[in-house]
Amino acid sequence: MGAQKTLERVISKAGLGSRTQARSWIHAKRVRVNGQVVENPDHWIDFDRDRVEFDGKPLRIREKVYLLVNKPTGYITTFKDPEGRPTVYDLIGAVETFVSPVGRLDLDTSGLLIMTNDTQLAERLTNPDHHVAKTYVVECGGVIPEESIRLLRNGVELNDGPTRPAAVKRLGGSGASTTLEIVLTEGRNRQVRRMIEAVGSKVVALTRTQIGSIAIGQLAPGEWRPLTPVELDRLRRERS
Ligand code: URA
């Protein structure tokens, strides 16, 4: 960890909990710096020199953790839901280190979610400047004509601007629905759903199958596993 950080960041980066939790623990006087209780979450810490304790125990920087989760529909990707719906944290209950989802998936979207406490890698994977490809399989209502597929490929106009060119493949379909594979290099809010609506259809089912070259493979919905060292190495170099 770099030398200078706010106390709140030091606590959350140590893998104990979210930034919000870190703030509440600091306010609850559970954190000491060089033996003194510090109640200000924005207090600057030099982690190389200052001694930080949580509940009387020296703060340990936990190892980096990288999980690949197959999110089922009906689960949200935030830590707590005021409405009490299940969250992805219910799926990874046994994992002791606090990890955050890399990007969001909607309640009704299933598929590949990476969760980690490596904020640098998370930033690399989500920042659109890095163009890391996210692959989705989307079932859309009705027939999607070739002209719409061309539009999706070239970019459609959304209320927050035109979408980048995308790779779009028709995987199948009947009269009632069409299945497409869409590869995006940006990750705007509800982007696939809005793109499909922009060409006059609606999403029936949406699943993310791949981030960069990492695929969900045979992992069953609701299951998770650690990323392998080879996958991690590939992810670190990822760029489309
Ligand atoms: N696009 C969407 O519309 N929803 C998601 O969850 C992910 C991508």
Side-chain angles (χ1 to χ4, degrees):
M1 192 180 313
Q4 298 268 330
K5 294 229 169 355
T6 62
L7 188 55
E8 172 198 315
R9 269 183 84 76
V10 168
I11 301 281
S12 68
K13 282 205 146 209
L16 292 175
S18 68
R19 306 254 318 240
T20 314
Q21 284 177 308
R23 286 186 95 80
S24 73
W25 294 331
I26 294 163
H27 288 309
K29 303 190 172 91
R30 293 173 68 181
V31 179
R32 285 174 187 265
V33 180
N34 303 324
Q36 303 290 319
V37 169
V38 172
E39 290 182 66
N40 174 12
D42 300 318
H43 180 89
W44 282 95
I45 294 291
D46 182 340
F47 200 72
D48 294 336
R49 289 217 305 256
D50 292 325
R51 204 161 30 82
V52 180
E53 288 167 299
F54 180 69
D55 283 348
K57 293 196 202 89
L59 200 66
R60 250 185 332 120
I61 301 301
R62 303 207 178 187
E63 278 177 33
K64 297 274 191 276
V65 173
Y66 305 88
L67 310 179
L68 190 155
V69 182
N70 189 347
K71 180 186 122 37
T73 58
Y75 282 72
I76 59 166
T77 52
T78 47
F79 180 59
K80 270 216 159 83
D81 181 35
E83 293 174 42
R85 291 169 296 190
T87 84
V88 289
Y89 291 91
D90 297 325
L91 302 173
I92 59 158
V95 178
E96 280 183 8
T97 306
F98 186 79
V99 287
S100 301
V102 175
R104 274 178 302 184
L105 286 180
D106 302 332
L107 178 71
D108 294 336
T109 304
S110 59
L112 194 163
L113 186 69
I114 291 172
M115 296 184 75
T116 183
N117 55 353
D118 183 342
T119 47
Q120 251 180 330
L121 182 70
E123 208 279 330
R124 254 195 66 72
L125 296 177
T126 48
N127 186 330
D129 291 349
H130 296 304
H131 290 250
V132 175
K134 321 280 179 340
T135 305
Y136 297 89
V137 172
V138 54
E139 186 187 344
C140 317
V143 175
I144 306 282
E146 271 312 303
E147 175 55 18
S148 299
I149 292 191
R150 234 186 336 268
L151 283 173
L152 291 168
R153 280 189 188 127
N154 294 339
V156 292
E157 194 60 45
L158 301 181
N159 57 12
D160 50 359
T163 58
R164 279 184 185 162
V168 182
K169 226 180 348 186
R170 187 191 297 276
L171 297 182
S174 60
S177 71
T178 306
T179 304
L180 304 176
E181 182 188 79
I182 301 187
V183 184
L184 302 181
T185 60
E186 49 185 347
R188 295 193 236 159
N189 193 27
R190 299 179 71 81
Q191 184 166 345
V192 174
R193 292 174 200 275
R194 290 190 293 143
M195 287 171 73
I196 297 303
E197 281 163 21
V199 296
S201 178
K202 260 204 163 329
V203 168
V204 178
L206 176 60
T207 185
R208 181 159 63 195
T209 54
Q210 218 165 306
I211 294 182
S213 58
I214 308 302
I216 196 73
Q218 298 308 307
L219 194 66
E223 300 284 307
W224 64 271
R225 66 169 173 82
L227 284 179
T228 66
V230 171
E231 286 173 327
L232 192 53
D233 193 48
R234 281 192 346 233
L235 264 189
R236 289 202 168 107
R237 301 157 196 245
E238 211 66 73
R239 210 189 150 86
S240 73

